[in-house]
Amino acid sequence: MSPVLLSADPDLLEALRAVLGPVRCAAALGQLACADEQVVLVDLGLRTGDPAELVREVRRARPGASLVALLGEGSSSTPAALREAGADRVLGLPLHAALLRDTVTEALELPTFEGDPRILRDLAGVAERGELRLHYQPRVDAESGAARGFEALMRWEHPELGLVSPGLFIPLAEATGEIVAMGAWALREACRQVAAWDALGLPRLHVAVNLSPLQFRGEGPVPAVEAALASAGLPADRLELEFTESLMAHDANAVIRHLQSLKALGTRLSIDDFGTGYSSLSYLRHFPVDALKIDKAFVDDLTRDTHASAIVTAVVVLGQSLSLGVVAEGVETERQAAFLRVLGVDEIQGYLYSRPLPAEEVPGYLSRTPISASAS
Ligand code: C2E
Ligand code: MG
Ligand code: MG
């Protein structure tokens, strides 16, 4: 959930931005965007008027929002009164900057962040500043090893830190909502790059781009996908979109509508990290998906743990009976690949065949590798 700080005090919002990085702020109730966001009311002590009344106003306007109130010292109200007025949680607002950051991080349920503070500080606007890159990891035919496509994986070329991996910044970008702009950039860049390779006469492989659950909020991913395809002049059937089962934790009906629209555009859809998330399989019947991607965790244990091979077998059978492709990712050894072939997996992605490659290394890779007949 992407949080919004609500405070009438611009200096306080500025101070919070300085310690927190790219958190959205609003000065008034009217500036809040969607109905179910997490709203954090800051500085209820210094505001003139009754803090409980402000909580009531926000609650009336945003019945579905999660409301956290940060109560400053000297407030005329009490935690009990604020909860009574509709706040879900009430925390004290400390004056010291470091404590302020910890408290607000907790209030916003931002992931605790052990990495370099510059990652959090500089994340806002990263797509607009041109610091994001895509690396392309080949997906190959399990039987023949011939290339079928790529997955586009985001990297951040930080001016001081160098290449930062998505494991470090995607969770933060999801917590702050920044991922929506970054994801739209990834769609545009992947489509542009693949169209540029087409123009060079390289084999016409498909490209898979990851979508965050946050991109399914509001108007959903369709406009960004359409814009990316149109500006590159790329046919929709060359684009695959990967999303995870966690998407179903949100408004399932809206998600299914968006997926159907993406399918109607002609893109392929796959479920990433399959088997690690939402446990109900019933949603699969309603998802217009083309492929399941088996998570690396199961592949890792495949050759030493009978449970892992039982799970992979079950996913393959499930995929085949629903006429879905099955892709295994994180394949590092020939033994794992041999096992997966026997189990009937269609495509393999992993260091065994190739690491994710910077775009400029892709033409060389394609010149050395067999190309699947499914590419044109
Ligand atoms: P993912 O989509 O499941 O991508 C697969 C990850 O496994 C990638 O990590 C890839 O480099 C790694 N991998 C592939 N084969 C092997 C292998 O044989 N061994 C090992 N050890 N690792 C392997 P990466 O690039 O660090 O990306 C991590 C995650 O970040 C991705 O997992 C995806 O969830 C997220 N991500 C990356 N790019 C984007 C993006 O553009 N948008 C969104 N929303 N998420 C992204
Ligand atoms: Mg993926
Ligand atoms: Mg995955």
Side-chain angles (χ1 to χ4, degrees):
M1 184 163 8
S2 83
V4 193
L5 298 177
L6 179 69
S7 171
D9 180 347
D11 294 339
L12 185 64
L13 288 179
E14 198 42 52
L16 281 166
R17 260 194 224 273
V19 291
L20 284 172
V23 172
R24 285 187 297 143
C25 297
L29 198 51
Q31 293 171 0
L32 299 177
C34 49
D36 60 345
E37 60 204 344
Q38 183 187 30
V39 181
V40 179
L41 302 118
V42 207
D43 182 26
L44 295 177
L46 302 177
R47 194 186 133 96
T48 50
D50 180 10
E53 187 47 40
L54 173 64
V55 171
R56 234 173 265 124
E57 261 172 56
V58 178
R59 177 51 81 208
R60 266 197 301 274
R62 292 288 180 269
S66 148
L67 287 193
V68 184
L70 297 179
L71 193 57
E73 270 188 41
S75 167
S76 57
S77 194
T78 63
L82 296 179
R83 269 194 292 273
E84 169 95 344
D88 296 306
R89 295 167 71 203
V90 182
L91 299 164
L93 179 73
L95 293 175
H96 191 276
L99 288 177
L100 183 67
R101 177 168 71 187
D102 289 350
T103 302
V104 180
T105 301
E106 197 209 316
L108 299 182
E109 289 163 12
L110 291 173
T112 39
F113 182 59
E114 307 292 338
D116 192 297
R118 286 172 286 187
I119 295 179
L120 184 54
R121 188 195 67 192
D122 299 338
L123 193 61
V126 64
E128 293 80 355
R129 288 197 305 276
E131 291 171 4
L132 293 176
R133 308 280 175 262
L134 291 179
H135 283 188
Y136 297 86
Q137 187 175 35
R139 267 165 61 170
V140 308
D141 185 286
E143 283 298 328
S144 65
R148 283 200 187 173
F150 295 98
E151 176 173 8
L153 293 159
M154 204 184 272
R155 304 285 180 265
W156 175 9
E157 200 165 310
H158 188 281
E160 293 155 22
L161 300 167
L163 221 51
V164 184
S165 86
L168 286 176
F169 64 82
I170 299 266
L172 290 174
E174 294 199 314
T176 61
E178 195 69 21
I179 192 69
V180 176
M182 295 162 72
W185 173 85
L187 285 165
R188 283 196 305 278
E189 175 57 17
C191 292
R192 184 204 65 73
Q193 180 63 75
V194 170
W197 286 331
D198 285 359
L200 290 174
L202 297 182
R204 293 172 183 263
L205 304 184
H206 63 83
V207 68
V209 176
N210 293 283
L211 292 182
S212 156
L214 282 191
Q215 291 173 272
F216 284 79
R217 292 289 198 85
E219 62 178 2
V222 175
V225 169
E226 271 182 317
L229 289 167
S231 81
L234 190 74
D237 62 2
R238 300 283 298 289
L239 180 64
E240 178 166 323
L241 300 163
E242 297 188 4
F243 54 91
T244 60
E245 296 158 272
S246 64
L247 201 54
M248 291 325 283
H250 302 265
D251 178 356
N253 289 330
V255 165
I256 289 168
R257 271 200 312 280
H258 292 313
L259 292 175
Q260 282 164 343
S261 309
L262 290 172
K263 200 68 214 146
L265 274 183
T267 59
R268 286 163 49 97
L269 300 176
S270 56
I271 305 183
D272 206 355
D273 307 339
F274 186 75
T276 62
Y278 197 72
S279 51
S280 163
L281 288 178
S282 62
Y283 67 87
L284 261 184
R285 288 183 296 145
H286 308 291
F287 269 22
V289 289
D290 301 283
L292 306 176
K293 293 190 79 177
I294 299 177
D295 193 64
K296 181 177 186 308
F298 301 122
V299 173
D300 281 345
D301 294 341
L302 198 56
T303 50
R304 42 174 192 262
D305 172 355
T306 50
H307 290 116
S309 59
I311 289 170
V312 174
T313 306
V315 174
V316 171
V317 171
L318 182 68
Q320 286 171 345
S321 54
L322 294 171
S323 304
L324 308 177
V326 178
V327 185
E329 64 183 355
V331 181
E332 294 181 346
T333 69
E334 190 48 63
R335 256 190 97 195
Q336 289 168 341
F339 221 101
L340 291 162
R341 275 194 285 275
V342 170
L343 295 181
V345 163
D346 302 298
E347 274 183 51
I348 288 180
Q349 177 180 341
Y351 293 175
L352 175 64
Y353 288 93
S354 173
R355 290 187 173 253
L357 304 169
E360 56 278 14
E361 291 179 23
V362 167
Y365 165 82
L366 291 175
S367 70
R368 295 188 300 271
T369 214
I371 305 297
S372 163
S374 66
S376 52

